Amino acid sequence: MLNVRIDKELEDKLDFISKREGVSKSKIVKEALTKHLQSLEPALSSFELGKDLFGVADGDEKLSVEYKDRLKAKLHAKHAH
């Protein structure tokens, strides 16, 4: 349980909204606090959002990093005769 002190103006606004919406002041405060705390959490990167959708299924994990070296080696082997 948490007790919070708020100024009169904020309390009046909270009371007005509570009556207008037909919900308890506690529910309004819980929802507002939840939204605020979620906004403070670090946002996920594009990779983190899609990491279950892509990745290495089979094979070398460094193909995209080492492709130039692999291509040079293949070309050298092809034209080395």
Side-chain angles (χ1 to χ4, degrees):
M1 177 183 241
L2 174 68
N3 293 318
V4 179
R5 293 178 191 243
I6 57 176
D7 62 38
K8 179 73 172 136
E9 183 181 343
L10 189 55
E11 184 179 5
D12 290 344
K13 287 180 184 180
L14 182 58
D15 192 44
F16 174 77
I17 293 171
S18 172
K19 289 177 183 172
R20 183 185 71 193
E21 300 296 318
V23 296
S24 70
K25 291 186 270 186
S26 291
K27 183 173 181 178
I28 294 169
V29 171
K30 285 178 193 176
E31 288 176 2
L33 184 57
T34 299
K35 284 182 182 180
H36 179 68
L37 293 176
Q38 286 173 344
S39 74
L40 296 176
E41 292 177 0
L44 296 176
S45 70
S46 299
F47 175 78
E48 290 170 323
L49 289 171
K51 68 182 174 184
D52 61 329
L53 303 175
F54 51 85
V56 176
D58 275 332
D60 189 355
E61 294 180 2
K62 294 185 178 184
L63 283 177
S64 64
V65 177
E66 299 173 347
Y67 77 97
K68 286 183 181 178
D69 294 335
R70 290 174 183 260
L71 183 58
K72 285 178 189 176
K74 284 184 180 183
L75 289 173
H76 181 69
K78 181 178 180 180
H79 299 288
H81 334 338

